[in-house]
Amino acid sequence: MRMKKRVCTVASVVLFFQLLGHFVLAQTVQGSGMEVAVAPQYDTTHVYVSPEDFDRFVASLIATFGGTTTKQGVFTVTPTTSSTMSQLVLTPVGTVSVFGFKTPSPYPFGVERSGYLVTDLDGAVSAAQSAGADVLVTPFNDPIGRDAVIQWPGGVAMQLYWHTTPPSYKPLASVPENRVYVSADRVAAFVQSFLAFSHGKVIADNEHAPGVEIGRPKDTYRRIRIQSNFGKVTVLVTDGHLPYPYGREMTGYEVSDVDETLVKAKAAGASVLVPSYVADDRTATILQFPGGYVAEIHSPNKQGSAH
């Protein structure tokens, strides 16, 4: 009788902690450090293209989404010797940092998917480390400020940057989403770490999202959506059995009408890798721009609202 009671008690404890873990992912995680985020328009997708494709890519992006660019230049943006063309593309649906290296790109540059502007670089790096991130590149000076590259559990790398003169960009018409593919084994660690750092919250956690979103229409998968002052992150939890080009698209851009955007994109030299489809609250497609950049484009359905 005592043995049966003890087994029941152990089982209850295990169930409690399983439920607690799931509950934590659905709640806001309060970071232990200061808030270092600035605003979503300063979350830049990093795109590396060859120098000969640089101007064609920038022109295609502007023709598709609208917006403006900063002056193009050639700089050293790494802590070791290198030379790259660099330009910022400011569109209403997201900011893109474009790099066209004239020299070989030093490791690990090119693995970072995005850059987050922070109010204090050293404080941000310390907060990221405390939250479980690894520092791939310790802080270094660039022509207009300082940078570092970090990596979260699950292998997600990003740059943190700070400008000597604070930049001023217009608020976005719609906030893009960082599309992060993570394994089931590492998703809990990634979400917990990123939430602690970003002071963000999980706004949706769908364990049975439609598989058409990852190119597997007969299956379902888990999709987690996170929101913070840095912007949006969509976590796609998969087994890695992904048909091309899923997993290659780093950013999802919200537009008012997918079909209208496709017309502009194709006229500007982009190709359609995944024809538009409807899933849950959005119509979506995947494009490839000149130079090779792959992006998801989506618009909210009338019967639903985009997260």
Side-chain angles (χ1 to χ4, degrees), residues 64-66 91-94 172-175 252-264 281-285 296-306:
T64 300
F65 298 125
T91 84
V93 297
L172 299 171
S174 61
V175 177
Y253 298 97
E254 181 180 316
V255 298
S256 58
D257 188 295
V258 165
D259 291 334
E260 290 180 2
T261 302
L262 281 177
V263 171
K264 295 177 183 178
D281 58 0
R282 62 175 57 173
T283 299
T285 184
E296 190 253 21
I297 313 293
H298 61 268
S299 59
N301 292 333
K302 293 180 180 181
Q303 65 269 29
S305 60

Side-chain angles (χ1 to χ4, degrees), residues 207-291:
E207 293 189 349
H208 301 286
V212 65
E213 296 177 356
I214 57 171
R216 291 163 50 174
K218 295 182 180 179
D219 301 324
T220 61
Y221 77 106
R222 185 180 181 187
R223 186 219 308 127
I224 304 169
R225 287 177 175 159
I226 297 171
Q227 195 162 299
S228 74
N229 286 338
F230 285 115
K232 299 177 180 179
V233 174
T234 293
V235 186
L236 302 98
V237 187
T238 79
D239 56 10
H241 298 186
L242 301 167
Y244 182 82
Y246 297 94
R248 299 293 183 186
E249 81 287 5
M250 294 187 296
T251 305
Y253 298 97
E254 181 180 316
V255 298
S256 58
D257 188 295
V258 165
D259 291 334
E260 290 180 2
T261 302
L262 281 177
V263 171
K264 295 177 183 178
K266 287 189 286 188
S271 56
V272 179
L273 299 183
V274 176
S276 59
Y277 62 89
V278 177
D280 277 1
D281 58 0
R282 62 175 57 173
T283 299
T285 184
I286 296 181
L287 302 178
Q288 184 173 52
F289 288 91

Side-chain angles (χ1 to χ4, degrees), residues 84-108:
T84 180
M85 300 169 64
S86 180
Q87 190 170 27
L88 199 63
V89 183
L90 302 160
T91 84
V93 297
T95 307
V96 178
S97 291
V98 188
F99 302 100
F101 272 84
K102 292 178 172 292
T103 61
S105 175
Y107 179 83

Side-chain angles (χ1 to χ4, degrees), residues 1 17 31 53 69-70 172 181 198 208 220 231-232 241 246 291 306:
M1 187 71 173
F17 279 106
D53 289 327
T69 68
T70 60
L172 299 171
Y181 284 74
S198 66
H208 301 286
T220 61
K232 299 177 180 179
H241 298 186
Y246 297 94

Side-chain angles (χ1 to χ4, degrees), residues 112-116 148-152 156-160 194:
E112 83 287 359
R113 57 182 299 108
S114 58
Y116 281 174
V149 179
I150 61 173
Q151 186 174 60
W152 298 105
V156 179
M158 62 177 54
Q159 182 190 54
L160 303 178
F194 187 77

